Amino acid sequence: MQLLLLLLLLPFSQAGEENRAAHEEEVSVLVYGTVQLGQALAGTYQSTRNKLQRVMGRQEQQEKGLQKLRGEADRSRREEEKIRREVQRLQNEEREVQDLSHSIQNELHLLQREFTELHMRLHILENGVQEREGGIPALKAHADRQHLMLHVLSEAVKQQQSQMTKQRSQLQHILRQVSVASGR
């Protein structure tokens, strides 16, 4: 703009009046064009600046959203790992309970067989040796103890089986949660 003012102040050639009018008109056109160009450039600059600010604002929002998603993904991974460890622990416990249950069942079968044999011997003794009544009550007491022991072990097996069923249900519930969580 200052350049244009300086050009206006410069003396024009002395050649003639007609030449002078042409120069003034050309300068006026140049000044007007330069002013319009300056205004257009200022408008374009402001428009571009506003667009850049909007784009930077959107980019900042997207980055915040991305950081939030990363945080949620990290939390999900940690939770999934925690669930996997819990599932592994429950599976190990279930195996231990199954092993214990099998062991108890084996002992129970052994005791049942011994009880049956004892009962048969008792029956033979009752029939064959009725004159020795002192030995029969002791055998009956032993058979009753064996029967009581058998009953207690049967109850323990039932409790173990109930506990195994409960743990199996919990394990299946957790596995369903893990599959739902990993399916997201």
Side-chain angles (χ1 to χ4, degrees):
M1 189 84 163
Q2 290 176 352
L3 179 63
L4 291 177
L5 290 175
L6 287 175
L7 287 175
L8 289 175
L9 296 176
L10 286 177
F12 294 104
S13 70
Q14 309 269 337
E17 203 51 42
E18 163 181 305
N19 212 6
R20 188 171 182 223
H23 281 301
E24 285 180 14
E25 195 176 292
E26 287 174 0
V27 170
S28 293
V29 167
L30 282 174
V31 168
Y32 181 71
T34 305
V35 168
Q36 281 185 334
L37 179 63
Q39 288 174 346
L41 285 175
T44 302
Y45 171 78
Q46 188 62 37
S47 171
T48 303
R49 183 175 175 213
N50 290 340
K51 286 178 185 177
L52 281 174
Q53 286 176 343
R54 283 194 302 270
V55 166
M56 289 174 69
R58 278 191 232 128
Q59 181 183 3
E60 190 176 307
Q61 286 177 347
Q62 288 176 349
E63 285 177 4
K64 285 179 183 177
L66 187 59
Q67 285 177 346
K68 184 178 177 182
L69 286 174
R70 282 184 190 133
E72 288 177 12
D74 287 343
R75 279 190 295 278
S76 292
R77 275 190 224 105
R78 286 192 301 270
E79 189 64 29
E80 183 179 350
E81 185 58 36
K82 181 181 173 184
I83 289 172
R84 281 192 178 130
R85 284 192 304 269
E86 183 65 18
V87 165
Q88 185 66 40
R89 185 188 66 78
L90 287 173
Q91 286 173 337
N92 290 340
E93 279 184 17
E94 182 179 10
R95 266 187 246 113
E96 289 173 8
V97 168
Q98 282 177 345
D99 292 344
L100 182 62
S101 177
H102 288 293
S103 174
I104 290 173
Q105 283 179 343
N106 289 339
E107 280 195 46
L108 183 62
H109 288 298
L110 181 64
L111 284 174
Q112 284 175 336
R113 193 173 39 206
E114 287 177 8
F115 177 74
T116 303
E117 290 173 8
L118 185 63
H119 197 303
M120 286 173 50
R121 276 191 259 156
L122 179 63
H123 186 65
I124 291 171
L125 284 174
E126 281 180 343
N127 288 339
V129 191
Q130 290 184 357
E131 68 269 353
R132 297 184 74 197
E133 290 185 20
I136 292 175
L139 283 174
K140 277 188 177 184
H142 183 67
D144 289 342
R145 278 195 306 274
Q146 289 290 335
H147 181 67
L148 179 62
M149 197 178 225
L150 184 64
H151 179 70
V152 167
L153 284 173
S154 294
E155 288 300 315
V157 167
K158 286 179 187 176
Q159 287 177 353
Q160 289 292 330
Q161 288 173 340
S162 172
Q163 185 179 3
M164 280 177 53
T165 302
K166 237 188 239 183
Q167 285 183 340
R168 193 172 290 123
S169 174
Q170 288 175 339
L171 184 60
Q172 288 172 349
H173 176 72
I174 289 173
L175 288 173
R176 281 193 297 270
Q177 285 181 337
V178 167
S179 67
V180 166
S182 64
R184 280 191 252 160

